[in-house]
Each structure stands twice: as structure tokens, then as C-alpha cells.
Amino acid sequence: MSFAISGVNCAAATPLNADLTPDLGLFTAHCKSLLANGCDGIALLGTTGEANSFSRGERKAILEAALKAGIGAEQLIPGTGLAAAPETIELTRHALSLGVTRVVILPPFYYKGVGDEGLFASYARIIEAIGDSRLRIVLYHIPQVSGVPLSPGLIGRLIEAFPDTVIGIKDSASDLANMQAIVAAHPNFSVLAGADPLLLPLLKSGGAGCITATSNLVADSLRIVYDGVSDPARAAEVEAAQARINAWRSLSNSYVQIPTIKAMIGLKSGNTGWNRVRPPMLPLTDSQLGELRGKFEALP
Amino acid sequence: MSFAISGVNCAAATPLNADLTPDLGLFTAHCKSLLANGCDGIALLGTTGEANSFSRGERKAILEAALKAGIGAEQLIPGTGLAAAPETIELTRHALSLGVTRVVILPPFYYKGVGDEGLFASYARIIEAIGDSRLRIVLYHIPQVSGVPLSPGLIGRLIEAFPDTVIGIKDSASDLANMQAIVAAHPNFSVLAGADPLLLPLLKSGGAGCITATSNLVADSLRIVYDGVSDPARAAEVEAAQARINAWRSLSNSYVQIPTIKAMIGLKSGNTGWNRVRPPMLPLTDSQLGELRGKFEALP
């Protein structure tokens, strides 16, 4: 098997300044620390990154800042999928213009119940309009947020029509059986767990890796799981690492996930600026933060 | 009672050229014909208008074309709500810069389950950032598409905080009791039916009017309902008009609604260019079009 994308990739959170603009300096420092702590790639500007609360201009500035800070184009996997195809095309072309060839693309997420034919037409139109043989797309299945599921049939059609371009899927639906079915049907296609607890079981089923939120906090443990999964001698270490990941993930789900993950990065790094989120997200309350701090200190 | 927005307003469909760009000439001709057929206002760039499949540049061009064609700024109520607040602010400022002061604003629709506090913060930030006393906002409750309902509590808070700005709601959830409750709680706030069958019952309950899709086809009948609702002598005529609206509406729901409405405008106007939609919507198939034509000819 050879995957076009694999390993441990972080759905990086985006720190904000007091005026709720992106804190580019803190963001790029965070990305570098993620890479130093075991991540293979930074899937910036995803759901966890609050990308859909930023303007296109802000999104471009965030990607450019990462490159300018010295992170390699091959380590960056930005989300570029918007509701309107022309804007998805614009953001994807912008990434390609910077040498960033791997992107995560949501389906058009405003209209619901449009069907596989319509979603296929939308992705096809985007790929054909961009017309760049370097482009590598990770599909994004997160129906509980987008409201637009990507069916196995649609995935198969896209792989068949664009085998060099449609290289993988970030599956955040937390349905292991669905991921296993995609792996079985398309062995060289990269199925990436979007939910941390499924990293180990997915890898055991032939999955390619992950793009997850908890890797903002415990990238080192995700690295252990990914590197050790095939080594029987490391089984206990791998199980322990996955258990640690699950404990951190579980705490991050105590309140609304994105502000909680950011608050936990703040607790870990000692920088309370991480508590900021952009509406419609709200920061944790002082009482929630106090409660979180107690539980945080007890984490493995 | 005095409503800041009322009457029959059309959620205008957007015709497309063969390359799926907006057909501005046909669009403005359609808008003028809607006004000539009884509409008070054109709620362009809404869900039915496929607004969320257009870029911001295309949306601006569509609004500018309507003004350039001689439609009054006071007759235009564009949708300006996007997932990202900075882009909502940009589109709303653009409308205001053209003298268009009434806009329909969706809640930020990517993130789900964010709660009333977060949605209040999002609308408040948009209103305060724009900082224009001319601005008049129609909230947009269409949870079956946006995935983000606007609760009665949130609506009340927004009216209280911004009484001159938050003037109404387009309620497309087809829940008459919910609309009646909003009318009862806020008598001068404009509750507008988003679903045509509810125009008459909502008006009888003190509602302000409608913004609907079927008015693309039978604006004359909506006009009769709106004008005649309080006149006992016109009761039979009004009931018949509402029944005609319901029949057209019902046919438009035979297939996916937006392509079906557009196909029906095409059948009515003799211009098959109306069949075009932008992905993720797909045009009706030839077989569906044939079936639709037969039923269309039998409409009252």
C-alpha cells in the first residue's frame, strides 16, 4: 500500500488576538511545536481551526504566515472548502500558488439533501475549474456539522473519476464500520480518522492515519500509536498512548469542544490568550475554566 | 401596528447563463415582472436564489444589476448572511453603500449547537461592526437548511438590544404556532411567512406578510391574499387565491424544490434557460421535465 497522505496530522486550533483577529505569531509557534511533538502535517483551517468564522482574506493570511514562518508547504494541509464553489476554487488556487498542493475540501454545506449526483457535480466542477495536476484533495465527511454526508457511493465515483486528485478522506463521523468499508473498497485511498479515539482501531483496519483535534494537545501520544501499531512488542505502550489520548479527548468534550480544546492548549502552554474564540463560539466561563483546570491537572 | 417590512416579497430565483454565471439581464427582467405582478419587494439572494452557491463578487454584481435596471433600493431586500461574520459585514456594507438598507441575515450556519448566547454575540458583533443607523435586519429562521434555529428567546434578546435594527424575521420552518408566538410577544416586529401555504393563516394571526418562493410564479394570488385578508366581502376570493398558491407550491415540491421552481418559471415564461441551476443543485431530468409539464398545464 502506498498512501498519498498518512500519519498524524493536527486539525490545528487558531489562537486569536484580543480583537478576535488571528494571532499569527502564536499560531505559527503552535504549528511548529506540533511538528516538534510528533505531527507529520498541520491540517490548518479546519472545523477546529474555526476556519468557517474567518474571511477568505484571513484564511489566506493564516496559510501565508505558516509558510513564512518556515513550515514546509508539504507539511500544510489547509481546509479550502466553502459553501460557494467559486470561493472554494479561489482558496484552493491560492494554496496551489504557494506550492501547497494538499487541501481538505468540505462539500458545499449550505444546501441539504442535494444527493450524490449534485455533490459529484460540485466536486467535479471545482477540480476541473482548477485544472492543476498537482492538486491533491482530502474529502471531508463531518455530517454532524456540515449536514452534508459523503456516501460510500459518492466517494467511489470521485476516486474513479479523479484517481490522482482525490486521495483521501477525513472521516469525522466516528463510525468505524463506515471507515473500514471505505478502506476495504479502496485500499490505496487514505482514510484518516477525524476522531482521536478511532486512530488505533482504524490503523489496525488499514487506515492511513488521522487529522484530529486532540493532537493539538497530545501529538506525542498519537505519534506512539501511529509508529507502534504494527510492532507486537510495543502493544502495551500503544494501548496506553491511545488511552491517554482518549482521556484528553474526553475532557475536551466536557463543554463545547472548540473553546474547550483552546482552553486546554492555554492551560498546557500557560497562555490564556488561547481562551479566545470567535462568535458563534463563546469562551468558557470562569466557572467552567476553574472546573476544567482541576480535571486538566489530573489528566494522564 | 406599524411594520418596518410587510407585504408580499419574493425570494427571487436567479437565472443562469449556459456557463452557470448569473444571467443578469433575465434576472432583472424577472424582478420587474414580479413587481408588476404584485410583489412589494424582491428578497433576492436568498435560499431560493441559490445565493450560497455564488461568490461574494457575483452576489454584489446581482444586487448592482437590479439597481442599475431601475428597481428601487427600497424594493430590494438582499440576503447578506454568510458563515463567516467578516463576509456578512462586507456584503451588508456593500448593500448599504448602494442605499439598500433592508437585508435578510442568516445566522452563521457552519457550526451547529452553538447556543443562543453565541448566536446573539454573532449578530451583535455584525451590527456593531457595521455601525450604520440605517441598517434594518430581517432574521432568517430556516433550520431545515441552515441547521441553526433561531429560538424565541434569542429573537426577543435581539429585538430588545437592537430595536431599530432588528425589524423582522423570515420564518421558513412552516410552524405556524411558532410564528404566532413571535407575533404575540412582539406586535410591531414583522413576522414574514417563508412558506407560501402559511401566508393567509399568518396574516389572520397578525403577521406582516411573506418572503416566499412560490411568488416567483403566482405573485398575483399572493397579492390578493394580502390585500383582501381583512375584507369579509373578499373571503371567498382570498381563500381561492390561497388555494391556487398552495397548488403551485405543492407542484414545486414534487422534486428538489429550487430546480423545480426554476423549471416552472421556464414553463410559464417559455424560456428553458430557467432550467439551469448551479451544483450542488442539478436541473430536472428530461423525464421529470416532461412529467412536470403535464402537471403544470393542469394547475389552476
Side-chain angles (χ1 to χ4, degrees), chain A residues 11-282:
Chain A
T14 313
L16 303 177
N17 296 305
D19 65 358
L20 305 189
T21 56
D23 182 338
L24 299 178
L26 184 54
F27 176 71
T28 55
H30 178 57
C31 292
K32 287 183 175 181
S33 114
L34 292 170
L35 293 168
N37 277 285
C39 285
D40 294 298
I42 307 293
L44 66 170
L45 293 164
T47 300
T48 303
E50 295 174 85
N52 284 305
S53 296
F54 295 122
S55 69
R56 283 177 299 169
E58 289 173 321
R59 292 168 75 133
K60 290 178 186 175
I62 289 168
L63 180 59
E64 288 167 13
L67 288 161
K68 204 166 171 183
I71 300 172
E74 74 291 351
Q75 293 176 301
L76 296 166
I77 314 142
T80 58
L82 288 163
E87 306 203 326
T88 299
I89 292 167
E90 179 190 324
L91 280 185
T92 307
R93 280 191 181 139
H94 171 258
L96 287 162
S97 76
L98 301 171
V100 174
T101 59
R102 300 184 306 174
V103 297
V104 180
I105 301 191
L106 278 164
F109 54 80
Y110 181 69
Y111 295 103
K112 306 302 188 299
V114 294
D116 282 2
E117 284 287 327
L119 294 175
F120 179 85
S122 179
Y123 275 112
R125 191 158 174 262
I126 289 165
I127 294 167
E128 286 159 5
I130 293 169
D132 188 322
S133 62
R134 298 173 302 157
L135 177 62
R136 299 290 179 267
I137 293 175
V138 176
L139 306 173
Y140 192 2
H141 179 57
I142 184 168
Q144 71 275 27
V145 180
S146 68
V148 181
L150 304 181
S151 75
L154 171 64
I155 296 162
R157 273 192 69 186
L158 286 167
I159 295 170
E160 193 177 0
F162 306 103
D164 298 329
T165 306
V166 176
I167 59 163
I169 187 165
K170 174 179 179 188
D171 189 328
S172 296
S174 290
D175 178 349
L176 182 62
N178 185 58
M179 289 190 271
Q180 289 169 326
I182 301 171
V183 170
H186 311 286
N188 292 311
F189 182 70
S190 297
V191 179
L192 302 161
D196 299 86
L198 296 183
L199 176 58
L200 181 54
L202 178 65
L203 289 173
K204 286 181 174 171
S205 304
C210 68
I211 298 178
T212 66
T214 315
S215 52
N216 281 285
L217 296 158
V218 288
D220 50 348
S221 294
L222 288 145
R223 182 84 254 153
I224 290 169
V225 172
Y226 184 79
D227 288 344
V229 64
S230 304
D231 182 354
R234 294 183 67 184
E237 182 196 8
V238 163
E239 293 285 350
Q242 183 67 59
R244 177 170 180 253
I245 296 161
N246 295 356
W248 284 67
R249 158 83 176 193
S250 176
L251 183 57
S252 79
N253 282 343
S254 304
Y255 312 101
V256 177
Q257 195 190 28
I258 294 171
T260 309
I261 285 173
K262 293 181 88 169
M264 290 170 74
I265 302 173
L267 287 169
K268 198 175 173 206
S269 65
N271 184 338
T272 56
W274 273 105
N275 292 341
R276 299 184 191 115
V277 289
R278 188 176 275 195
M281 299 291 157
L282 289 178

Side-chain angles (χ1 to χ4, degrees), chain B residues 92-146:
Chain B
T92 306
R93 280 191 180 138
H94 171 258
L96 286 162
S97 76
L98 301 171
V100 174
T101 60
R102 300 184 307 174
V103 298
V104 180
I105 301 191
L106 279 163
F109 53 81
Y110 182 70
Y111 294 103
K112 306 303 188 297
V114 293
D116 283 1
E117 285 286 328
L119 294 175
F120 179 85
S122 179
Y123 274 112
R125 190 157 175 263
I126 289 165
I127 293 168
E128 287 159 4
I130 292 170
D132 189 322
S133 62
R134 297 174 301 158
L135 177 61
R136 300 289 178 267
I137 294 176
V138 177
L139 306 173
Y140 193 1
H141 179 58
I142 184 166
Q144 71 276 29
V145 181
S146 67

Side-chain angles (χ1 to χ4, degrees), chain B residues 16-278:
Chain B
L16 303 177
N17 295 305
D19 65 358
L20 303 190
T21 55
D23 183 338
L24 300 178
L26 184 55
F27 176 70
T28 56
H30 178 57
C31 292
K32 287 183 177 181
S33 113
L34 292 169
L35 293 168
N37 277 285
C39 286
D40 295 298
I42 306 293
L44 66 170
L45 293 164
T47 301
T48 303
E50 294 173 87
N52 285 305
S53 296
F54 295 121
S55 69
R56 284 178 299 169
E58 290 173 320
R59 292 169 74 133
K60 290 178 186 175
I62 289 168
L63 179 58
E64 288 167 12
L67 288 161
K68 205 167 171 183
I71 300 172
E74 73 290 351
Q75 294 176 300
L76 295 167
I77 314 143
T80 60
L82 288 164
E87 307 204 325
T88 299
I89 292 167
E90 178 189 325
L91 280 186
T92 306
R93 280 191 180 138
H94 171 258
L96 286 162
S97 76
L98 301 171
V100 174
T101 60
R102 300 184 307 174
V103 298
V104 180
I105 301 191
L106 279 163
F109 53 81
Y110 182 70
Y111 294 103
K112 306 303 188 297
V114 293
D116 283 1
E117 285 286 328
L119 294 175
F120 179 85
S122 179
Y123 274 112
R125 190 157 175 263
I126 289 165
I127 293 168
E128 287 159 4
I130 292 170
D132 189 322
S133 62
R134 297 174 301 158
L135 177 61
R136 300 289 178 267
I137 294 176
V138 177
L139 306 173
Y140 193 1
H141 179 58
I142 184 166
Q144 71 276 29
V145 181
S146 67
V148 181
L150 305 181
S151 75
L154 171 64
I155 295 162
R157 273 192 70 186
L158 286 167
I159 294 171
E160 192 177 1
F162 306 102
D164 297 329
T165 306
V166 177
I167 59 163
I169 187 165
K170 174 180 177 185
D171 188 329
S172 296
S174 291
D175 178 348
L176 182 63
N178 185 59
M179 290 190 268
Q180 289 169 326
I182 301 171
V183 170
H186 311 287
N188 292 312
F189 182 70
S190 298
V191 178
L192 302 162
D196 298 86
L198 296 183
L199 175 58
L200 181 54
L202 178 65
L203 290 173
K204 287 181 174 171
S205 304
C210 68
I211 298 178
T212 65
T214 315
S215 51
N216 280 287
L217 296 159
V218 289
D220 50 347
S221 294
L222 289 145
R223 182 85 253 152
I224 290 170
V225 172
Y226 184 79
D227 288 343
V229 65
S230 304
D231 182 354
R234 295 182 67 182
E237 182 197 7
V238 163
E239 293 286 349
Q242 183 68 58
R244 177 170 180 255
I245 295 161
N246 295 356
W248 284 67
R249 158 82 174 194
S250 175
L251 183 56
S252 78
N253 283 343
S254 304
Y255 312 101
V256 177
Q257 195 191 28
I258 294 171
T260 309
I261 285 172
K262 294 181 88 169
M264 289 170 74
I265 301 173
L267 287 169
K268 198 176 172 204
S269 65
N271 184 339
T272 56
W274 274 105
N275 292 342
R276 298 184 192 115
V277 289
R278 189 177 274 197

